[in-house]
Amino acid sequence: MAYPTLTEEPGALELAAQIREGALSPGEAVEAAIGRIEAQDGSINAVVVRDFERARATAKAMDGTAPLPHQPLYGVPMTIKESFAIEGLPSCWGLKEFEDQTATADSTVVRQLKAAGAILLGKTNIPPNLADWQSFNPVYGRTNNPHDMRRSAGGSSGGSAAAVASGMVPVEYGTDIGGSVRVPAHFNGVWGHKTSWGLISKQGHDHPMAAGKDMHDGVLSIAGPLARNPQDLALMLELTATLPLRRHDKPLDQMRFLLLADHPPSPIDDAVRGPIEAAAAALRSAGIAVDAAADDMPDLEGDQVAYLKMLNIAMARGAPGPDGSRASATDWFDLLDAQARCELAWARLFEAYDFVLAPPANILAFPHRDEQVFQGKVTINGQERDAAEGLAWAGIATFPNLPATVLPVGATDGLPCGMQVIGPRWSDFDCIAAAEAIGALLHG
């Protein structure tokens, strides 16, 4: 089962090995990445904040030296989502009123990646307030999907995924509250991981209204990596996780999966259903248990209603909604109770299944539009549906705080299609390992 790829550039681990073995210097790796960005990004517009001179200076200081044991990314160039603070660079979240505001310190994730030897070349594009499945804004313009420049690269980590898919950089770091890592991975044919909530620090990933002051990490929202292979995903997780996680190393042929291809609020387009059901069929043909239904499912429809309420309150930080009403403290605690019940329901499901397989979104990469996609309609099997329904596929992992790895599984009409591998909370490395095993079976 092939899926479209755009580059043969090495991943982060392979590039780091070349540098460690002396086949390439950090300076040469950085210059090559800058060259790719300058050659490709005029049409894609992914790397919208560039810090090339500091990157060159960092690489020059590394040339002729050897990495320390805690530096597995020594000399590896990469970029990061615009919303992460890097000292001296803007983090305006696509908002004109903050475009001249610069960070005075690095975010925690940036510090962790630098400590591991990575060299940050700059930052990648996002939608305003990180609130769309597109990445365009009045400050940086529009990011195009490198598989089809007429289509969205996804959001809100759309620039991140486009930079990785096109080969400009080997790895990236994004964030996700409504599919913002998973949907761009799906749209661009790369790997992405939504972490268990609370695993990765989001200190320094704060709205520019905070003016550099630290803020609460925020419910539902997580930070997670993107890459072109699962080994790089796992490495990025190792370098940034704040908790030690167990790995179970269960063989694929001993796993039991549940395929969740139908969700009451959100039918999926056949362009998505086809590659995902083909992947499930390939697993079954290999003798792996993939059920199409479960006796004791969480309340998907009720949980989606609660998820959207919590999402909207969190994104607005409690400001009044369009109708002028404001959630009360009682409303918020009721949502926390609903979330706790949802977590318990999924924990019961995982007593019977190792992982749940699901689409990352109900559509593939869609043609550019000038308004937020969630304000309009999308076409599902010839029928116009509210685009916001698609958030249901993000919410199944986001609301119960679960990890989910997206791997590419196929394509329809040349557009990549991914699949989520969702596991119990804190099973992040196991999700990546299961996705890796599935990818090996599907793609050889």
Side-chain angles (χ1 to χ4, degrees):
M1 295 177 61
Y3 65 93
T5 57
L6 300 172
T7 182
E8 295 183 356
E9 289 293 328
L13 279 166
E14 185 180 351
L15 187 58
Q18 292 176 6
I19 293 170
R20 187 169 57 250
E21 292 161 5
L24 196 68
S25 72
E28 290 169 334
V30 163
E31 287 301 333
I34 290 172
R36 290 192 297 274
I37 293 169
E38 291 178 338
Q40 298 180 58
D41 205 37
S43 58
I44 298 171
N45 193 40
V47 186
V48 293
V49 177
R50 300 183 179 185
D51 199 18
F52 292 169
E53 292 313 308
R54 284 201 300 184
R56 286 179 167 123
T58 300
K60 183 178 180 181
M62 289 181 172
D63 284 348
T65 64
L68 297 173
H70 67 278
Q71 295 178 307
L73 288 177
Y74 193 79
V76 173
M78 63 174 290
T79 50
I80 198 165
K81 188 174 183 176
E82 197 270 356
S83 46
F84 284 97
I86 297 180
E87 183 270 322
L89 298 182
S91 292
C92 72
W93 292 41
L95 303 171
K96 288 288 289 183
E97 59 266 40
F98 297 110
E99 66 178 321
D100 295 325
Q101 181 173 294
T102 58
T104 58
D106 291 342
S107 63
T108 294
V109 166
V110 168
R111 291 198 305 272
Q112 290 169 321
L113 294 170
K114 286 182 175 180
I119 300 175
L120 276 295
L121 300 178
K123 303 171 79 174
T124 49
N125 205 17
I126 37 82
N129 289 313
L130 318 184
D132 198 359
W133 279 0
Q134 304 177 92
S135 292
F136 81 96
N137 59 74
V139 179
Y140 303 121
R142 186 188 303 278
T143 297
N144 299 314
N145 189 309
H147 292 272
D148 184 341
M149 300 292 179
R150 301 165 299 177
R151 294 177 182 268
S152 171
S156 60
S157 309
S160 302
V164 171
S166 61
M168 287 188 270
V169 293
V171 287
E172 252 273 2
Y173 230 101
T175 58
D176 188 315
I177 191 172
S180 289
V181 164
R182 290 164 287 168
V183 171
H186 166 60
F187 282 5
N188 289 272
V190 298
W191 296 69
H193 183 71
K194 179 224 170 284
T195 52
S196 296
W197 185 81
L199 179 63
I200 309 296
S201 171
K202 286 176 61 260
Q203 182 277 327
H205 183 277
D206 304 314
H207 195 282
M209 286 192 302
K213 295 180 181 178
D214 290 326
M215 300 173 67
H216 180 263
D217 205 22
V219 298
L220 302 175
S221 177
I222 62 87
L226 295 108
R228 290 192 298 273
N229 64 68
Q231 298 85 6
D232 285 352
L233 275 191
L235 172 63
M236 297 289 278
L237 199 61
E238 288 172 0
L239 296 174
T240 52
T242 58
L243 300 170
L245 300 183
R246 290 179 296 175
R247 306 185 196 213
H248 293 91
D249 299 323
K250 192 172 185 178
L252 183 64
D253 60 7
Q254 295 180 23
M255 296 180 190
R256 186 181 182 195
F257 296 91
L258 173 66
L259 175 63
L260 180 59
D262 294 292
H263 196 308
S266 182
I268 63 173
D269 193 74
D270 286 345
V272 177
R273 184 182 295 275
I276 287 178
E277 291 196 340
L283 289 169
R284 293 186 183 111
S285 295
I288 296 160
V290 182
D291 292 351
D295 294 332
D296 188 19
M297 281 294 296
D299 177 11
L300 296 178
E301 196 162 6
D303 290 342
Q304 173 64 4
V305 171
Y307 162 64
L308 288 179
K309 289 180 180 178
M310 181 175 275
L311 175 69
N312 288 328
I313 295 169
M315 293 289 282
R317 292 185 61 81
D323 62 355
S325 64
R326 186 192 296 267
S328 68
T330 298
D331 295 331
W332 187 248
F333 280 106
D334 287 345
L335 286 171
L336 292 176
D337 290 341
Q339 186 182 39
R341 290 190 291 270
C342 178
E343 290 177 345
L344 292 170
W346 280 92
R348 288 192 296 269
L349 183 70
F350 285 123
E351 292 175 4
Y353 294 97
D354 294 289
F355 302 98
V356 171
L357 308 177
N362 55 348
I363 53 175
L364 301 181
F366 55 87
H368 294 307
R369 52 181 68 182
D370 292 329
E371 76 282 356
Q372 185 194 51
V373 66
F374 302 128
Q375 295 176 352
K377 304 281 187 180
V378 294
T379 302
I380 306 292
N381 299 326
Q383 181 184 4
E384 292 294 298
R385 307 278 306 197
D386 289 337
E389 291 176 351
L391 288 166
W393 297 102
I396 55 174
T398 298
F399 192 51
N401 292 322
L402 302 176
T405 301
V406 169
L407 75 151
V409 294
T412 300
D413 297 330
L415 295 176
C417 179
M419 181 173 72
Q420 294 191 81
V421 180
I422 304 168
R425 193 173 186 188
W426 310 124
S427 69
D428 293 71
F429 287 112
D430 293 340
C431 284
I432 295 172
E436 179 179 4
I438 293 170
L441 187 148
L442 296 179
H443 311 305

